[in-house]
């Protein structure tokens, strides 16, 4: 995949190469690959874990329940349209039954994501959830330790924060408000990196 990824000179070409990927067994169970949504006009790129059922069906990342939550964070919180941020995942194919991505799946898919990041060239990356955060920072730590700061990997700013699914699971519990506040702090940190005005609307 590294060679094929390097040959893709734009995102359309890379998306086409990803669509034909058979590097791991997930190609046998996927409906289709899930490459991206949006643009990087705001300079912000969100990276989640892997497509779920809804994403696999539609071919678009973050369109299920977690996606609706993410859309709220982007539109109500950041005050920008969802189409102004770039959204992708570490894995381009859905793991069956939404199980965690395997180490070898992440390793094989990394070439696609690396090239995707290179071509999008965002001002800041928001890593959604521990899988994306550990993958992107290379630091095998808890989200509690990873979040709240800007990690620079090869000069690229990475801001880890809790996954929207984690927030949804906490809804109705006493920790929900606290976690939501922490996510908003992280988003504000990312916005400052992208030179966006993080004043709450
Ligand atoms: N969760 C993710 O991490 N990515 C998606 O695209 C959907 C849900």
């Amino acid at each position: 995949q590294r060679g094929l990824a390097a040959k893709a000179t734009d995102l359309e070409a890379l998306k086409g190469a990803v669509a034909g990927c058979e590097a791991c067994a997930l190609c046998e169970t996927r409906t289709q690959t899930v490459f991206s949504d949006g643009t990087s006009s705001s300079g912000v790129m969100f990276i989640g874990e892997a497509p779920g059922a809804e994403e696999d069906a539609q071919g678009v990342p973050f369109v299920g329940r977690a996606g609706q939550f993410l859309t709220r964070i982007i539109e109500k919180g950041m005050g920008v349209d969802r189409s102004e941020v770039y959204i992708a995942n570490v894995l381009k194919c859905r793991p069956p039954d939404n199980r965690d991505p395997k180490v070898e799946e992440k390793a094989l898919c990394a070439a696609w994501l690396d090239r995707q990041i290179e071509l999008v060239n965002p001002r800041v990356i928001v890593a959604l959830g521990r899988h994306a955060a550990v993958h992107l920072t290379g630091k095998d730590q808890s989200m509690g330790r990873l979040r709240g700061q800007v990690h620079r990997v090869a000069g690229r700013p990475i801001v880890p924060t809790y996954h929207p699914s984690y927030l949804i699971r906490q809804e109705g519990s006493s920790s929900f408000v606290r976690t939501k506040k922490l996510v908003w702090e992280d988003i504000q940190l990312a916005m400052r990196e992208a030179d966006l005005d993080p004043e709450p609307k």
Side-chain angles (χ1 to χ4, degrees):
Q1 296 78 255
R2 281 272 160 219
L4 285 175
K7 264 195 231 150
T9 51
D10 59 37
L11 288 163
E12 249 342 277
L14 186 65
K15 183 179 180 177
V18 166
C21 183
E22 295 185 347
C24 80
L26 294 182
C27 69
E28 292 160 22
T29 48
R30 75 181 177 218
T31 304
Q32 56 194 319
T33 54
V34 177
F35 187 69
S36 72
D37 196 26
T39 65
S40 67
S41 58
S42 64
V44 183
M45 178 173 187
F46 286 90
I47 301 181
E49 180 178 321
E54 200 55 44
E55 290 77 20
D56 175 72
Q58 293 190 35
V60 182
F62 282 100
V63 288
R65 245 191 111 208
Q68 286 160 23
F69 209 99
L70 178 63
T71 304
R72 281 221 298 278
I73 294 172
I74 295 163
E75 303 202 332
K76 297 224 168 82
M78 294 173 65
V80 303
D81 200 78
R82 180 179 153 122
S83 64
E84 292 173 57
V85 302
Y86 193 91
I87 305 175
N89 282 305
V90 172
L91 290 194
K92 307 306 185 211
C93 298
R94 181 194 182 201
D97 305 317
N98 300 343
R99 63 156 170 76
D100 281 354
K102 293 183 182 169
V103 173
E104 63 267 28
E105 290 162 356
K106 286 190 277 190
L108 287 164
C109 220
W112 300 131
L113 180 64
D114 289 350
R115 184 70 180 136
Q116 192 173 22
I117 293 170
E118 220 167 72
L119 289 169
V120 172
N121 194 22
R123 301 184 74 155
V124 65
I125 292 172
V126 180
L128 297 169
R130 194 171 172 273
H131 271 283
V134 171
H135 181 82
L136 289 163
T137 62
K139 295 174 190 160
D140 193 4
Q141 294 171 354
S142 68
M143 181 52 76
R145 291 201 58 189
L146 288 169
R147 63 150 302 277
Q149 53 185 312
V150 182
H151 302 255
R152 289 186 204 271
V153 180
R156 225 177 255 296
I158 312 220
V159 177
T161 198
Y162 294 102
H163 196 285
S165 302
Y166 179 74
L167 271 169
I168 288 170
R169 283 200 300 276
Q170 288 200 336
E171 239 170 341
S173 85
S174 55
S175 37
F176 176 69
V177 175
R178 187 185 126 80
T179 310
K180 214 168 83 166
K181 185 170 158 277
L182 295 178
V183 170
W184 178 231
E185 280 173 20
D186 296 333
I187 298 290
Q188 286 178 305
L189 197 59
M191 287 179 78
R192 268 184 235 114
E193 279 295 319
D195 271 340
L196 298 170
D197 180 10
E199 286 312 306
K201 302 270 169 311

